[in-house]
Coordinates of all heavy atoms in Angstrom, one line a residue:
M1341 N -144.3 236.6 54.9 CA -144.4 235.2 54.8 C -144.1 234.5 56.1 O -144.6 233.5 56.4 CB -143.6 234.6 53.6 CG -144.1 235.0 52.2 SD -145.7 234.4 51.9 CE -145.4 232.7 51.5
S1342 N -143.1 235.1 56.8 CA -142.6 234.4 58.0 C -143.6 234.5 59.1 O -143.5 233.7 60.1 CB -141.3 234.9 58.4 OG -141.4 236.2 58.8
I1343 N -144.5 235.4 59.1 CA -145.4 235.6 60.2 C -146.6 234.6 60.2 O -147.2 234.3 61.2 CB -145.9 237.1 60.2 CG1 -146.4 237.4 61.6 CG2 -147.0 237.3 59.2 CD1 -146.7 238.9 61.8
L1344 N -146.9 234.1 59.0 CA -148.1 233.3 58.8 C -148.1 232.0 59.7 O -149.0 231.7 60.3 CB -148.3 233.0 57.3 CG -149.6 232.3 56.9 CD1 -150.8 233.2 57.4 CD2 -149.7 232.2 55.4
P1345 N -147.0 231.3 59.6 CA -147.0 230.0 60.5 C -147.3 230.4 62.0 O -148.0 229.6 62.6 CB -145.6 229.5 60.3 CG -145.1 230.0 59.0 CD -145.7 231.4 58.9
G1346 N -146.8 231.5 62.4 CA -147.0 231.8 63.8 C -148.5 232.1 64.1 O -149.0 231.7 65.1
L1347 N -149.1 232.8 63.1 CA -150.5 233.0 63.3 C -151.3 231.7 63.3 O -152.3 231.5 64.1 CB -151.0 233.9 62.2 CG -150.6 235.4 62.2 CD1 -151.0 236.2 61.0 CD2 -151.2 236.1 63.5
L1348 N -150.9 230.8 62.4 CA -151.7 229.6 62.3 C -151.5 228.8 63.6 O -152.4 228.2 64.1 CB -151.1 228.7 61.1 CG -151.5 229.2 59.8 CD1 -150.8 228.5 58.7 CD2 -153.1 229.1 59.6
L1349 N -150.3 228.8 64.1 CA -150.0 228.1 65.4 C -150.9 228.7 66.5 O -151.5 227.9 67.3 CB -148.6 228.2 65.7 CG -148.2 227.5 67.0 CD1 -148.5 226.0 67.0 CD2 -146.7 227.7 67.3
A1350 N -150.9 230.0 66.6 CA -151.7 230.6 67.6 C -153.2 230.2 67.5 O -153.9 229.9 68.5 CB -151.6 232.1 67.6
A1351 N -153.7 230.2 66.3 CA -155.1 229.9 66.0 C -155.3 228.4 66.4 O -156.4 228.1 67.0 CB -155.5 230.1 64.6
G1352 N -154.4 227.6 66.1 CA -154.5 226.2 66.4 C -154.6 225.9 67.9 O -155.4 225.2 68.4
L1353 N -153.7 226.6 68.6 CA -153.7 226.5 70.1 C -155.1 227.0 70.6 O -155.6 226.3 71.5 CB -152.6 227.3 70.7 CG -151.2 226.7 70.5 CD1 -150.1 227.7 70.9 CD2 -151.0 225.4 71.2
S1354 N -155.5 228.1 70.1 CA -156.8 228.6 70.6 C -157.9 227.6 70.4 O -158.8 227.4 71.2 CB -157.1 230.0 69.9 OG -158.3 230.4 70.3
L1355 N -158.0 227.1 69.2 CA -159.0 226.1 68.8 C -158.9 224.9 69.7 O -159.9 224.4 70.2 CB -158.9 225.7 67.4 CG -159.5 226.7 66.4 CD1 -159.2 226.3 64.9 CD2 -161.0 226.9 66.6
A1356 N -157.7 224.4 70.0 CA -157.5 223.2 70.8 C -158.1 223.5 72.2 O -158.7 222.6 72.8 CB -156.1 222.9 70.9
G1357 N -157.9 224.8 72.7 CA -158.3 225.1 74.0 C -159.8 225.1 74.1 O -160.4 224.7 75.2
T1358 N -160.5 225.5 73.1 CA -162.0 225.6 73.2 C -162.7 224.3 72.7 O -163.8 224.0 73.1 CB -162.5 226.8 72.4 OG1 -162.0 226.7 71.1 CG2 -162.0 228.1 73.0
A1359 N -162.0 223.6 71.8 CA -162.7 222.4 71.2 C -163.0 221.4 72.2 O -164.0 220.7 72.2 CB -161.8 221.8 70.1
A1360 N -162.1 221.2 73.2 CA -162.4 220.2 74.3 C -163.5 220.7 75.2 O -164.0 219.9 76.0 CB -161.1 220.0 75.0
G1361 N -163.8 222.0 75.2 CA -164.9 222.4 76.1 C -164.4 222.5 77.5 O -165.3 222.4 78.4
A1362 N -163.1 222.6 77.7 CA -162.6 222.6 79.1 C -163.1 223.8 79.9 O -163.2 224.9 79.3 CB -161.1 222.6 79.1
A1363 N -163.5 223.6 81.1 CA -164.0 224.7 81.9 C -163.1 224.9 83.1 O -162.2 224.1 83.5 CB -165.4 224.3 82.4
T1364 N -163.2 226.1 83.7 CA -162.5 226.4 85.0 C -163.6 226.4 86.1 O -164.6 227.1 86.0 CB -161.8 227.7 84.9 OG1 -160.8 227.6 83.9 CG2 -161.2 228.0 86.3
I1365 N -163.4 225.6 87.1 CA -164.3 225.5 88.2 C -163.7 226.1 89.4 O -162.6 225.7 89.8 CB -164.7 224.0 88.4 CG1 -165.4 223.5 87.2 CG2 -165.5 223.9 89.7 CD1 -165.3 222.0 87.0
E1366 N -164.3 227.1 90.0 CA -163.8 227.9 91.1 C -164.3 227.4 92.4 O -165.4 227.1 92.6 CB -164.1 229.4 90.9 CG -163.5 230.0 89.7 CD -163.4 231.5 89.8 OE1 -163.6 232.0 90.9 OE2 -163.1 232.1 88.8
V1367 N -163.3 227.3 93.3 CA -163.6 226.9 94.7 C -163.0 228.1 95.6 O -161.9 228.4 95.5 CB -163.0 225.6 95.1 CG1 -163.3 225.3 96.6 CG2 -163.6 224.5 94.3
T1368 N -163.9 228.7 96.4 CA -163.4 229.7 97.3 C -163.0 229.1 98.6 O -163.7 228.2 99.1 CB -164.5 230.8 97.5 OG1 -164.8 231.3 96.2 CG2 -164.1 231.9 98.5
I1369 N -161.9 229.6 99.2 CA -161.5 229.2 100.5 C -161.8 230.4 101.4 O -161.2 231.5 101.2 CB -160.0 228.8 100.6 CG1 -159.7 227.6 99.6 CG2 -159.7 228.4 102.1 CD1 -158.3 227.3 99.5
D1370 N -162.7 230.2 102.4 CA -163.1 231.3 103.2 C -163.3 230.8 104.6 O -164.1 229.8 104.8 CB -164.4 231.9 102.6 CG -164.8 233.2 103.3 OD1 -164.0 233.8 104.0 OD2 -166.0 233.5 103.2
Q1371 N -162.7 231.4 105.6 CA -162.8 231.0 107.0 C -162.6 229.5 107.1 O -163.3 228.8 107.8 CB -164.1 231.4 107.5 CG -164.3 232.9 107.4 CD -165.4 233.5 108.2 OE1 -166.2 232.8 108.8 NE2 -165.6 234.8 108.1
M1372 N -161.5 229.0 106.5 CA -161.0 227.6 106.6 C -162.1 226.6 106.1 O -162.2 225.5 106.7 CB -160.6 227.3 108.1 CG -159.5 228.3 108.5 SD -158.7 227.9 110.1 CE -158.2 226.2 109.8
E1373 N -162.8 227.0 105.1 CA -163.7 226.0 104.4 C -163.5 226.1 102.9 O -163.4 227.2 102.4 CB -165.1 226.3 104.8 CG -165.6 225.9 106.1 CD -167.0 226.1 106.3 OE1 -167.8 225.8 105.4 OE2 -167.4 226.6 107.4
F1374 N -163.6 225.0 102.2 CA -163.7 224.9 100.8 C -165.1 225.1 100.4 O -166.0 224.3 100.9 CB -163.1 223.6 100.2 CG -161.7 223.4 100.5 CD1 -161.3 222.4 101.4 CD2 -160.7 224.1 99.8 CE1 -159.9 222.1 101.6 CE2 -159.4 223.9 100.1 CZ -159.0 222.9 101.0
K1375 N -165.4 226.1 99.6 CA -166.8 226.4 99.2 C -166.9 226.5 97.7 O -166.3 227.5 97.1 CB -167.3 227.7 99.9 CG -167.2 227.7 101.4 CD -167.6 229.0 102.0 CE -167.5 229.0 103.5 NZ -167.8 230.3 104.1
P1376 N -167.6 225.6 97.0 CA -168.3 224.5 97.6 C -167.4 223.4 97.9 O -166.3 223.3 97.3 CB -169.3 224.1 96.5 CG -168.7 224.5 95.3 CD -167.9 225.7 95.6
A1377 N -167.7 222.5 98.9 CA -166.9 221.4 99.3 C -166.8 220.3 98.3 O -165.8 219.6 98.2 CB -167.3 220.9 100.6
V1378 N -167.9 220.2 97.5 CA -167.9 219.2 96.4 C -168.2 219.8 95.1 O -169.1 220.6 95.0 CB -169.0 218.1 96.7 CG1 -169.1 217.1 95.6 CG2 -168.8 217.5 98.1
V1379 N -167.3 219.5 94.1 CA -167.5 220.1 92.8 C -167.5 218.9 91.8 O -166.9 217.9 92.0 CB -166.5 221.1 92.4 CG1 -166.6 222.4 93.2 CG2 -165.1 220.6 92.4
M1380 N -168.2 219.1 90.7 CA -168.3 218.1 89.6 C -167.4 218.7 88.4 O -167.5 219.9 88.2 CB -169.7 217.9 89.1 CG -170.7 217.7 90.1 SD -170.5 216.2 91.0 CE -171.3 215.1 89.9
A1381 N -166.6 217.8 87.8 CA -165.8 218.3 86.7 C -165.7 217.2 85.6 O -166.1 216.1 85.8 CB -164.4 218.6 87.2
R1382 N -165.2 217.6 84.5 CA -164.9 216.7 83.4 C -163.4 216.6 83.2 O -162.7 217.6 83.5 CB -165.6 217.2 82.1 CG -167.1 217.1 82.1 CD -167.7 217.6 80.8 NE -169.2 217.8 81.0 CZ -170.0 216.7 80.9 NH1 -169.6 215.5 80.6 NH2 -171.3 216.9 81.0
P1383 N -162.9 215.5 82.6 CA -161.5 215.5 82.4 C -161.0 216.7 81.5 O -161.7 217.0 80.5 CB -161.3 214.1 81.6 CG -162.5 213.3 82.1 CD -163.6 214.3 82.2
G1384 N -160.0 217.3 81.9 CA -159.4 218.5 81.2 C -159.8 219.8 81.8 O -159.3 220.8 81.5
D1385 N -160.8 219.7 82.7 CA -161.2 221.0 83.4 C -160.1 221.4 84.4 O -159.4 220.6 84.9 CB -162.5 220.8 84.2 CG -163.7 220.7 83.3 OD1 -163.6 220.9 82.0 OD2 -164.8 220.4 83.8
T1386 N -160.1 222.7 84.7 CA -159.2 223.3 85.7 C -160.0 223.5 87.0 O -161.1 224.1 86.9 CB -158.6 224.6 85.2 OG1 -157.8 224.3 84.0 CG2 -157.7 225.2 86.3
I1387 N -159.5 223.1 88.1 CA -160.0 223.5 89.4 C -159.2 224.6 89.9 O -158.0 224.5 90.0 CB -160.0 222.3 90.4 CG1 -160.6 221.0 89.8 CG2 -160.8 222.7 91.7 CD1 -162.0 221.1 89.4
L1388 N -159.8 225.8 90.2 CA -159.1 227.0 90.7 C -159.6 227.3 92.1 O -160.8 227.6 92.3 CB -159.4 228.1 89.7 CG -158.8 229.5 90.1 CD1 -157.3 229.5 89.9 CD2 -159.4 230.6 89.3
W1389 N -158.6 227.3 93.0 CA -159.0 227.7 94.4 C -158.5 229.1 94.6 O -157.4 229.5 94.3 CB -158.2 226.8 95.4 CG -158.7 225.3 95.4 CD1 -159.7 224.9 96.2 CD2 -158.2 224.2 94.7 NE1 -159.9 223.5 96.0 CE2 -159.0 223.1 95.1 CE3 -157.2 224.1 93.8 CZ2 -158.7 221.8 94.6 CZ3 -157.0 222.8 93.2 CH2 -157.7 221.7 93.7
R1390 N -159.4 229.9 95.2 CA -159.1 231.3 95.5 C -159.2 231.4 97.0 O -160.2 231.1 97.7 CB -160.2 232.2 95.0 CG -160.1 232.4 93.4 CD -161.0 233.5 93.0 NE -161.2 233.5 91.5 CZ -160.3 234.0 90.7 NH1 -159.2 234.6 91.2 NH2 -160.5 234.0 89.4
N1391 N -158.0 231.7 97.6 CA -157.9 231.7 99.1 C -158.2 233.2 99.6 O -157.4 234.1 99.4 CB -156.5 231.3 99.4 CG -156.3 231.2 100.9 OD1 -157.2 231.5 101.7 ND2 -155.1 230.7 101.3
K1392 N -159.3 233.3 100.3 CA -159.6 234.6 100.8 C -159.1 234.8 102.2 O -159.3 235.8 102.9 CB -161.2 234.8 100.8 CG -161.7 234.9 99.4 CD -163.2 234.9 99.3 CE -163.7 236.3 99.8 NZ -165.2 236.3 99.7
D1393 N -158.5 233.7 102.8 CA -158.1 233.7 104.2 C -156.7 234.5 104.3 O -156.0 234.7 103.3 CB -157.9 232.3 104.7 CG -159.3 231.7 105.1 OD1 -160.3 232.5 105.2 OD2 -159.3 230.5 105.3
V1394 N -156.3 234.8 105.5 CA -155.0 235.4 105.7 C -154.0 234.4 106.1 O -152.9 234.8 106.5 CB -155.2 236.5 106.9 CG1 -156.1 237.6 106.5 CG2 -155.6 235.8 108.2
M1395 N -154.3 233.1 105.9 CA -153.3 232.1 106.1 C -153.2 231.2 104.9 O -154.2 231.1 104.1 CB -153.7 231.2 107.4 CG -154.9 230.4 107.2 SD -155.5 229.8 108.8 CE -156.3 231.2 109.4
D1396 N -152.0 230.6 104.7 CA -151.8 229.7 103.6 C -152.6 228.4 103.7 O -152.8 227.9 104.9 CB -150.4 229.3 103.5 CG -149.5 230.6 103.2 OD1 -150.0 231.6 102.9 OD2 -148.2 230.4 103.3
H1397 N -153.0 227.8 102.6 CA -153.7 226.5 102.6 C -153.1 225.7 101.5 O -152.4 226.2 100.6 CB -155.2 226.7 102.4 CG -155.9 227.4 103.5 ND1 -156.0 226.9 104.8 CD2 -156.6 228.6 103.5 CE1 -156.7 227.8 105.6 NE2 -157.0 228.8 104.8
T1398 N -153.5 224.4 101.4 CA -153.2 223.6 100.3 C -154.5 222.8 99.9 O -155.4 222.7 100.7 CB -152.1 222.5 100.6 OG1 -152.6 221.5 101.4 CG2 -150.9 223.2 101.3
A1399 N -154.5 222.3 98.7 CA -155.5 221.3 98.3 C -154.6 220.1 98.0 O -153.9 220.1 97.0 CB -156.3 221.8 97.1
T1400 N -154.7 219.1 98.8 CA -153.8 217.9 98.7 C -154.6 216.6 98.7 O -155.4 216.3 99.6 CB -152.9 217.9 100.0 OG1 -152.2 219.1 100.0 CG2 -151.9 216.7 99.9
S1401 N -154.4 215.9 97.6 CA -155.1 214.6 97.4 C -153.9 213.6 97.2 O -153.3 213.6 96.2 CB -156.0 214.6 96.2 OG -156.6 213.3 96.0
R1402 N -153.6 212.8 98.2 CA -152.4 212.0 98.2 C -152.3 211.1 97.0 O -153.3 210.4 96.6 CB -152.4 211.1 99.5 CG -152.1 211.9 100.7 CD -152.3 211.0 102.0 NE -152.8 211.9 103.1 CZ -152.0 212.7 103.8 NH1 -150.8 212.9 103.4 NH2 -152.5 213.4 104.7
G1403 N -151.2 211.2 96.3 CA -151.0 210.4 95.1 C -151.6 211.1 93.9 O -151.4 210.6 92.8
N1404 N -152.3 212.2 94.0 CA -153.0 212.8 92.9 C -152.5 214.2 92.6 O -152.0 214.6 91.5 CB -154.5 212.8 93.1 CG -155.0 211.4 93.1 OD1 -154.8 210.6 92.2 ND2 -155.7 211.1 94.2
F1405 N -152.6 215.1 93.6 CA -152.2 216.5 93.4 C -151.9 217.1 94.8 O -152.4 216.6 95.8 CB -153.2 217.3 92.6 CG -154.6 217.3 93.2 CD1 -154.9 218.2 94.2 CD2 -155.5 216.5 92.7 CE1 -156.2 218.2 94.7 CE2 -156.8 216.5 93.2 CZ -157.2 217.4 94.2
D1406 N -151.1 218.1 94.8 CA -150.7 218.9 96.0 C -150.5 220.3 95.6 O -149.5 220.7 95.0 CB -149.5 218.3 96.6 CG -149.1 218.9 97.9 OD1 -149.9 219.6 98.5 OD2 -147.9 218.8 98.3
V1407 N -151.5 221.1 95.8 CA -151.5 222.5 95.3 C -151.4 223.5 96.5 O -152.1 223.5 97.4 CB -152.8 222.8 94.6 CG1 -152.8 224.2 94.0 CG2 -153.1 221.8 93.4
E1408 N -150.3 224.3 96.4 CA -150.1 225.4 97.4 C -151.0 226.5 97.1 O -151.1 227.0 95.9 CB -148.7 225.8 97.4 CG -147.7 224.8 97.8 CD -147.6 224.7 99.4 OE1 -148.1 225.6 100.1 OE2 -147.0 223.7 99.8
I1409 N -151.7 227.1 98.1 CA -152.7 228.2 97.8 C -152.3 229.3 98.9 O -153.0 229.3 100.0 CB -154.1 227.8 97.9 CG1 -154.3 226.5 97.1 CG2 -155.0 228.9 97.4 CD1 -155.5 225.7 97.5
P1410 N -151.4 230.1 98.6 CA -151.0 231.1 99.6 C -152.1 232.1 100.0 O -153.1 232.3 99.2 CB -149.8 231.9 98.9 CG -149.4 231.0 97.8 CD -150.6 230.2 97.4
A1411 N -152.0 232.7 101.2 CA -153.0 233.6 101.6 C -153.2 234.7 100.6 O -152.3 235.3 100.0 CB -152.5 234.3 102.9
G1412 N -154.5 234.9 100.3 CA -154.9 235.9 99.3 C -154.6 235.6 97.9 O -154.8 236.5 97.0
K1413 N -154.1 234.4 97.6 CA -153.7 234.1 96.2 C -154.6 232.9 95.8 O -155.5 232.5 96.5 CB -152.3 233.7 96.2 CG -151.3 234.9 96.6 CD -150.6 235.4 95.4 CE -149.9 236.7 95.7 NZ -148.9 236.7 96.8
S1414 N -154.2 232.4 94.6 CA -155.0 231.2 94.1 C -154.0 230.1 93.6 O -152.8 230.4 93.5 CB -155.9 231.7 92.9 OG -155.1 232.2 91.9
G1415 N -154.6 229.0 93.4 CA -153.8 227.8 92.9 C -154.7 227.0 92.1 O -156.0 227.0 92.3
S1416 N -154.2 226.2 91.2 CA -155.1 225.4 90.3 C -154.4 224.1 90.0 O -153.2 223.9 90.1 CB -155.4 226.2 89.1 OG -154.2 226.4 88.3
V1417 N -155.3 223.2 89.5 CA -154.9 221.9 89.0 C -155.8 221.5 87.8 O -157.0 221.9 87.9 CB -154.9 220.8 90.1 CG1 -156.3 220.4 90.5 CG2 -154.1 219.6 89.7
V1418 N -155.3 220.8 86.8 CA -156.1 220.3 85.8 C -156.4 218.9 86.1 O -155.4 218.1 86.3 CB -155.4 220.5 84.4 CG1 -156.2 219.8 83.3 CG2 -155.1 221.9 84.1
V1419 N -157.6 218.5 86.1 CA -158.0 217.1 86.4 C -158.0 216.3 85.1 O -158.6 216.8 84.1 CB -159.4 217.0 87.2 CG1 -159.2 217.6 88.6 CG2 -160.5 217.8 86.4
K1420 N -157.4 215.2 85.1 CA -157.3 214.4 83.8 C -158.0 213.1 83.8 O -158.4 212.6 82.8 CB -155.8 214.2 83.5 CG -155.1 215.6 83.2 CD -153.6 215.4 82.9 CE -153.1 216.8 82.5 NZ -151.7 216.9 82.8
A1421 N -158.1 212.5 85.0 CA -158.7 211.1 85.0 C -160.1 211.2 85.7 O -160.3 212.0 86.5 CB -157.8 210.2 85.8
D1422 N -160.9 210.3 85.3 CA -162.2 210.1 86.0 C -162.0 209.6 87.4 O -161.0 209.0 87.7 CB -163.0 209.0 85.3 CG -163.5 209.5 83.9 OD1 -162.9 210.4 83.3 OD2 -164.4 208.8 83.3
G1423 N -162.9 210.0 88.2 CA -162.8 209.4 89.6 C -163.3 210.4 90.6 O -163.7 211.6 90.3
R1424 N -163.2 210.0 91.9 CA -163.6 210.9 93.0 C -162.3 211.2 93.7 O -161.6 210.2 94.2 CB -164.5 210.1 94.0 CG -165.9 210.0 93.4 CD -166.7 208.9 94.2 NE -166.9 209.2 95.6 CZ -168.0 209.7 96.1 NH1 -169.0 209.9 95.3 NH2 -168.1 210.0 97.4
F1425 N -162.0 212.4 93.9 CA -160.7 212.8 94.5 C -161.0 213.6 95.8 O -161.4 214.7 95.8 CB -159.9 213.7 93.5 CG -159.6 212.9 92.2 CD1 -160.4 213.1 91.1 CD2 -158.5 212.1 92.2 CE1 -160.1 212.4 89.9 CE2 -158.2 211.4 91.0 CZ -159.0 211.5 89.9
E1426 N -160.8 212.9 96.9 CA -160.9 213.5 98.2 C -159.7 214.3 98.4 O -158.6 213.8 98.2 CB -161.1 212.5 99.3 CG -162.2 211.4 99.0 CD -163.6 211.9 99.5 OE1 -163.7 213.0 100.1 OE2 -164.5 211.2 99.1
Y1427 N -159.8 215.5 98.9 CA -158.6 216.3 99.3 C -158.8 217.0 100.6 O -159.9 217.1 101.1 CB -158.2 217.3 98.1 CG -159.2 218.4 97.9 CD1 -159.1 219.6 98.5 CD2 -160.2 218.3 97.0 CE1 -159.9 220.7 98.3 CE2 -161.1 219.3 96.7 CZ -161.0 220.5 97.4 OH -161.8 221.5 97.2
E1428 N -157.6 217.5 101.1 CA -157.6 218.2 102.4 C -156.6 219.3 102.3 O -155.7 219.3 101.4 CB -157.4 217.2 103.5 CG -156.1 216.6 103.5 CD -155.8 215.6 104.6 OE1 -156.8 215.0 105.1 OE2 -154.7 215.4 105.0
C1429 N -156.6 220.1 103.3 CA -155.5 221.1 103.5 C -154.4 220.4 104.4 O -154.8 219.9 105.4 CB -156.0 222.3 104.1 SG -154.6 223.5 104.6
R1430 N -153.2 220.4 103.9 CA -152.1 219.7 104.7 C -151.9 220.4 106.1 O -151.5 219.8 107.1 CB -150.8 219.7 104.0 CG -150.6 218.5 103.1 CD -149.1 218.4 102.6 NE -148.9 219.3 101.5 CZ -148.1 220.4 101.5 NH1 -147.5 220.7 102.6 NH2 -148.0 221.1 100.4
Y1431 N -152.2 221.7 106.1 CA -152.0 222.5 107.4 C -153.1 222.3 108.3 O -153.0 222.5 109.5 CB -151.7 223.9 107.1 CG -150.6 224.2 106.1 CD1 -150.8 225.1 105.0 CD2 -149.4 223.5 106.1 CE1 -149.8 225.3 104.1 CE2 -148.4 223.7 105.2 CZ -148.6 224.6 104.1 OH -147.7 224.8 103.2
H1432 N -154.3 222.1 107.8 CA -155.6 222.1 108.5 C -156.4 220.9 108.0 O -157.3 221.1 107.2 CB -156.3 223.4 108.4 CG -155.5 224.6 108.5 ND1 -155.1 225.4 107.4 CD2 -155.0 225.3 109.6 CE1 -154.3 226.4 107.8 NE2 -154.3 226.3 109.1
P1433 N -156.0 219.7 108.5 CA -156.7 218.5 107.9 C -158.2 218.4 108.1 O -158.8 217.6 107.5 CB -156.0 217.3 108.7 CG -154.7 217.9 109.2 CD -155.0 219.4 109.5
N1434 N -158.7 219.3 108.9 CA -160.2 219.3 109.1 C -160.8 220.0 107.9 O -162.1 220.0 107.7 CB -160.6 220.0 110.4 CG -160.1 221.4 110.5 OD1 -158.9 221.6 110.1 ND2 -160.9 222.3 111.0
M1435 N -160.0 220.7 107.1 CA -160.6 221.3 105.8 C -160.6 220.2 104.7 O -159.5 219.8 104.3 CB -159.7 222.5 105.4 CG -159.7 223.6 106.3 SD -158.5 224.9 105.8 CE -159.1 225.3 104.1
T1436 N -161.7 219.8 104.3 CA -161.8 218.8 103.3 C -162.7 219.1 102.1 O -163.6 220.0 102.3 CB -162.3 217.4 103.9 OG1 -163.6 217.6 104.4 CG2 -161.4 216.9 105.0
G1437 N -162.4 218.5 101.0 CA -163.3 218.7 99.8 C -163.2 217.5 98.9 O -162.4 216.6 99.2
R1438 N -164.0 217.6 97.9 CA -164.0 216.4 96.9 C -164.3 216.9 95.5 O -165.1 217.9 95.3 CB -165.1 215.4 97.3 CG -165.0 214.2 96.5 CD -165.9 213.1 97.0 NE -167.3 213.3 96.8 CZ -168.2 213.4 97.8 NH1 -167.9 213.3 99.1 NH2 -169.5 213.7 97.5
I1439 N -163.5 216.4 94.6 CA -163.8 216.6 93.1 C -164.3 215.4 92.5 O -163.6 214.3 92.6 CB -162.5 217.1 92.4 CG1 -161.9 218.3 93.2 CG2 -162.8 217.4 91.0 CD1 -160.4 218.6 92.7
E1440 N -165.4 215.4 91.9 CA -165.9 214.2 91.2 C -165.8 214.5 89.7 O -166.4 215.4 89.1 CB -167.4 214.0 91.6 CG -167.5 213.8 93.1 CD -169.0 213.3 93.5 OE1 -169.8 213.3 92.6 OE2 -169.2 213.1 94.7
V1441 N -164.9 213.7 89.1 CA -164.6 213.8 87.7 C -165.3 212.7 86.9 O -165.0 211.5 87.2 CB -163.1 213.8 87.4 CG1 -162.8 214.1 86.0 CG2 -162.4 214.8 88.3
A1442 N -166.1 213.1 85.9 CA -166.8 212.1 85.1 C -167.0 212.7 83.7 O -167.1 213.9 83.6 CB -168.1 211.7 85.7
R1443 N -167.0 211.9 82.7 CA -167.2 212.3 81.3 C -168.7 212.7 81.1 O -169.6 212.1 81.7 CB -166.8 211.3 80.3 CG -165.3 211.2 80.1 CD -164.8 209.9 79.6 NE -163.5 209.6 80.1 CZ -162.3 210.2 79.7 NH1 -162.3 211.0 78.7 NH2 -161.2 209.9 80.3
Ligands
CU2519 CU1 -155.4 225.2 105.5

């Protein structure tokens, strides 16, 4: 009897994760470029950056998010509000990208 609530909770979490239709949108960082530089997303989606370079980068949008993306690793952020979010790498400000979030 004690295991049932746990199962229900797990099922509820799983359903909540899929009911919203949240997606993961991948951006590759390769040779100091965000590829693609512009992505479209919906509120609740995850933006996942995969850093293929041998140097660390960030995805930084002042006042919105600041994601560390170490060399060879990944970093992510969940976008919650509608809008256009310009971002750059703090270490290499010539690296720029944009996330356009709309319902
Ligand atoms: Cu960088």
Side-chain angles (χ1 to χ4, degrees):
M1341 289 298 281
S1342 64
I1343 200 168
L1344 192 53
L1347 287 173
L1348 287 173
L1349 179 60
L1353 287 171
S1354 174
L1355 283 174
T1358 54
T1364 297
I1365 295 152
E1366 295 199 14
V1367 177
T1368 299
I1369 304 173
D1370 187 20
Q1371 302 191 2
M1372 301 189 57
E1373 280 185 47
F1374 295 109
K1375 299 176 182 176
V1378 179
V1379 295
M1380 315 291 280
R1382 293 178 189 280
D1385 286 355
T1386 297
I1387 311 299
L1388 175 71
W1389 289 272
R1390 290 188 190 281
N1391 186 357
K1392 295 175 71 176
D1393 284 346
V1394 295
M1395 66 195 80
D1396 297 347
H1397 295 297
T1398 74
T1400 303
S1401 178
R1402 286 170 214 289
N1404 297 307
F1405 55 82
D1406 182 21
V1407 181
E1408 294 279 346
I1409 315 157
K1413 301 250 167 58
S1414 59
S1416 65
V1417 69
V1418 176
V1419 290
K1420 290 177 179 157
D1422 292 17
R1424 289 161 63 101
F1425 301 95
E1426 309 275 351
Y1427 66 89
E1428 63 181 30
C1429 172
R1430 269 191 282 112
Y1431 309 134
H1432 315 101
N1434 57 319
M1435 293 174 61
T1436 59
R1438 186 169 74 241
I1439 305 167
E1440 298 188 0
V1441 186
R1443 280 159 216 280

